[in-house]
Amino acid sequence: MAATRIIPMHVNKGKTIQQCVKARLDYASNPEKTEEGQFVSSYACDPKTVTEEFMLSKKEYYRLTGRHPHGDIIAYQLRQSFKPGEITPEEANQIGYELAEKLTKGNHAFIVATHTDRKHIHNHIVWNSTDLNCTRKYRNFLGSFRVVQRISDELCLKHGLSVIKPRPYKERTKYQGHPGAPAKRGFDMLVDIQKKLTEGKGKGYVGWAKVFNAKQITQTLLFLKEKDIRDYDSLAEKADLASATFDDLRAKIKDCDQRLDEITDLRQHIFNYAKTHDVYEKYRKGGYKKSFYEAHRQEITIHKAAKDAFNKLPKDRKPRGKLPTVKQLNEEFKEVLAEKKKNYSEYREAKKSMQDYVKAKHNIDEFMRQEQLQNGQIRKNDRHTER
């Protein structure tokens, strides 16, 4: 697992920009912490001249844009700490490099320095706030820490590492001296699966990987972590609820569409009835003569269709036995259309939620099935049944 933290770097009081940049980069690349620079990698810059390269880009940025913002951020630092004993310095540096690439999208020079001087291996990633074209600045955004943590988790899972199980502050306990006998932990599906995948990437991992690629594994575990789903029953319950919500909204939208079509048709019939009323009255008062009918076949047919439509309307659609007015129909049309738009907005979110939960459940079902196959609990040709 890896904990992450982004730290924007400003100019310290009484120091120049170059002094501040150099101090931070020198600390990150400290030979005593990186085994004589063995675990320092970089992108679009040389670790030996990185300070000068950062400064040249900033001078060019000021020249090209003319901007000298107050309180300017000169660089960004990201700390990424790993669980003790779970990773080598080489792999930690590789993960840090991949994280920096994804975060900066290849638009900013950066270095990744892996420190090995403490019990927990950790990365110091420092990237230039000025982009490679010297025309833009990296913009930190609200909630960026969540994005960074998600990318880090994804990379950790990709490399077969565990991810952090977040705990709300209120659930954290203060240190109260030496603990007694540890309490037995209940079954935790997420932890259990991660354990199977990281234990030497053995049979469990191989069986899973034959069916799903690494990206699917990663996305499934990240989804479970984000939703804090720790047992199968909770996952199944949430998948069923998401599916029911989606089906309900889909049915509501279908009802709205049907009513909009009914209003449109009824409104047209009212227009047609009024437009052909005089012709039909002459036809009726003239004794329904065939010659008149042939001369006005279209108007009379349209008028009859309108009358049939009115007669077929259910009683609840004809208050006090009267047809609704066009004005009333127009108002109802607006209301139904607004309801459809509201439902459709919720429908899109419900559809994605349903797909995410159903996909996650399917992946977990398949993982459990592979485990049963390997343990001889079921035969290969047996059909998989839902729990």
Side-chain angles (χ1 to χ4, degrees), residues 147-169:
V147 174
V148 172
Q149 189 62 60
R150 179 179 175 82
I151 296 173
S152 178
D153 286 349
E154 184 175 345
L155 291 171
C156 285
L157 288 171
K158 177 183 173 183
H159 285 260
L161 306 178
S162 61
V163 297
I164 294 172
K165 175 182 176 180
R167 290 195 304 164
Y169 180 80

Side-chain angles (χ1 to χ4, degrees), residues 217-336:
I217 300 172
T218 298
Q219 294 302 321
T220 297
L221 294 179
L222 285 175
F223 178 78
L224 294 176
K225 175 177 175 287
E226 288 178 354
K227 301 300 181 181
D228 196 25
I229 298 174
R230 301 286 163 177
D231 62 88
Y232 182 88
D233 290 340
S234 294
L235 174 60
E237 181 181 349
K238 289 179 182 295
D240 290 342
L241 178 61
S243 297
T245 301
F246 170 74
D247 291 339
D248 181 58
L249 286 169
R250 181 168 57 180
K252 287 181 179 179
I253 291 173
K254 186 177 180 180
D255 290 342
C256 287
D257 283 334
Q258 181 179 341
R259 183 54 189 154
L260 290 174
D261 289 341
E262 291 173 353
I263 294 173
T264 299
D265 290 342
L266 181 56
R267 195 164 49 185
Q268 188 61 52
H269 283 309
I270 292 175
F271 284 132
N272 291 341
Y273 183 89
K275 185 171 61 175
T276 60
H277 179 265
D278 291 345
V279 172
Y280 190 83
E281 279 299 297
K282 290 178 181 179
Y283 173 57
R284 183 181 65 81
K285 290 178 180 179
Y288 303 105
K289 291 180 179 180
K290 186 175 182 180
S291 58
F292 189 91
Y293 176 81
E294 292 298 333
H296 301 278
R297 176 190 292 269
Q298 184 176 4
E299 293 96 324
I300 293 171
T301 301
I302 291 174
H303 194 83
K304 285 183 175 181
K307 290 180 68 176
D308 288 342
F310 298 156
N311 292 332
K312 290 177 182 178
L313 279 178
K315 291 183 180 180
D316 62 337
R317 297 296 185 189
K318 293 188 290 186
R320 302 185 185 88
K322 295 182 179 181
L323 290 173
T325 65
V326 172
K327 182 179 179 181
Q328 290 172 331
L329 290 175
N330 288 341
E331 289 298 320
E332 184 183 359
F333 190 93
K334 291 180 182 178
E335 292 173 1
V336 176

Side-chain angles (χ1 to χ4, degrees), residues 156-190:
C156 285
L157 288 171
K158 177 183 173 183
H159 285 260
L161 306 178
S162 61
V163 297
I164 294 172
K165 175 182 176 180
R167 290 195 304 164
Y169 180 80
K170 64 181 180 180
E171 294 182 8
R172 301 172 190 171
T173 56
K174 296 182 179 180
Y175 178 73
Q176 296 179 346
H178 186 73
K184 184 178 179 181
R185 177 181 64 84
F187 174 73
D188 189 322
M189 179 179 65
L190 178 55

Side-chain angles (χ1 to χ4, degrees), residues 16-35:
T16 65
I17 295 178
Q18 182 164 349
Q19 287 173 332
C20 294
V21 171
K22 187 177 187 304
R24 177 43 52 193
L25 292 171
D26 284 352
Y27 176 83
S29 303
N30 188 335
E32 295 180 1
K33 298 177 179 291
T34 60
E35 299 188 18

Side-chain angles (χ1 to χ4, degrees), residues 8-243:
M9 295 168 54
H10 298 271
V11 179
N12 295 331
K13 188 175 181 180
K15 292 187 177 182
T16 65
I17 295 178
Q18 182 164 349
Q19 287 173 332
C20 294
V21 171
K22 187 177 187 304
R24 177 43 52 193
L25 292 171
D26 284 352
Y27 176 83
S29 303
N30 188 335
E32 295 180 1
K33 298 177 179 291
T34 60
E35 299 188 18
E36 301 303 322
Q38 181 181 353
F39 301 118
V40 177
S41 57
S42 63
Y43 169 77
C45 62
D46 187 326
K48 296 179 181 178
T49 58
V50 61
T51 299
E52 291 75 12
E53 292 180 55
F54 276 26
M55 290 306 303
L56 284 173
S57 70
K58 295 184 181 306
K59 290 178 181 178
E60 185 66 6
Y61 171 82
Y62 298 145
R63 186 185 71 81
L64 291 175
T65 67
R67 301 172 190 154
H68 291 77
H70 178 70
D72 189 21
I73 297 174
I74 57 178
Y76 288 88
Q77 178 184 195
L78 191 156
R79 293 178 184 171
Q80 185 184 33
S81 302
F82 298 92
K83 181 179 179 180
E86 191 178 52
I87 195 171
T88 64
E90 292 86 355
E91 192 170 22
N93 191 267
Q94 182 182 349
I95 291 176
Y97 193 95
E98 292 175 12
L99 174 58
E101 274 190 317
K102 286 180 176 290
L103 195 58
T104 64
K105 299 179 181 179
N107 295 325
H108 298 259
F110 63 76
I111 68 166
V112 180
T114 303
H115 288 194
T116 61
D117 59 325
R118 294 189 180 182
K119 185 177 180 181
H120 64 284
I121 292 174
H122 57 284
N123 287 327
H124 287 267
I125 303 170
V126 182
W127 67 93
N128 194 349
S129 60
T130 306
D131 70 0
L132 296 176
N133 294 327
C134 303
T135 57
R136 293 179 179 275
K137 288 293 194 75
Y138 182 89
R139 297 298 180 190
N140 203 14
F141 55 91
L142 186 65
S144 62
F145 68 95
R146 294 191 184 91
V147 174
V148 172
Q149 189 62 60
R150 179 179 175 82
I151 296 173
S152 178
D153 286 349
E154 184 175 345
L155 291 171
C156 285
L157 288 171
K158 177 183 173 183
H159 285 260
L161 306 178
S162 61
V163 297
I164 294 172
K165 175 182 176 180
R167 290 195 304 164
Y169 180 80
K170 64 181 180 180
E171 294 182 8
R172 301 172 190 171
T173 56
K174 296 182 179 180
Y175 178 73
Q176 296 179 346
H178 186 73
K184 184 178 179 181
R185 177 181 64 84
F187 174 73
D188 189 322
M189 179 179 65
L190 178 55
V191 173
D192 187 65
I193 292 174
Q194 290 183 63
K195 183 179 179 182
K196 285 182 172 66
L197 296 179
T198 56
E199 285 179 344
K201 297 186 177 180
K203 291 183 179 180
Y205 182 87
V206 175
W208 173 264
K210 285 181 180 178
V211 184
F212 300 100
N213 61 35
K215 185 175 181 180
Q216 285 176 294
I217 300 172
T218 298
Q219 294 302 321
T220 297
L221 294 179
L222 285 175
F223 178 78
L224 294 176
K225 175 177 175 287
E226 288 178 354
K227 301 300 181 181
D228 196 25
I229 298 174
R230 301 286 163 177
D231 62 88
Y232 182 88
D233 290 340
S234 294
L235 174 60
E237 181 181 349
K238 289 179 182 295
D240 290 342
L241 178 61
S243 297

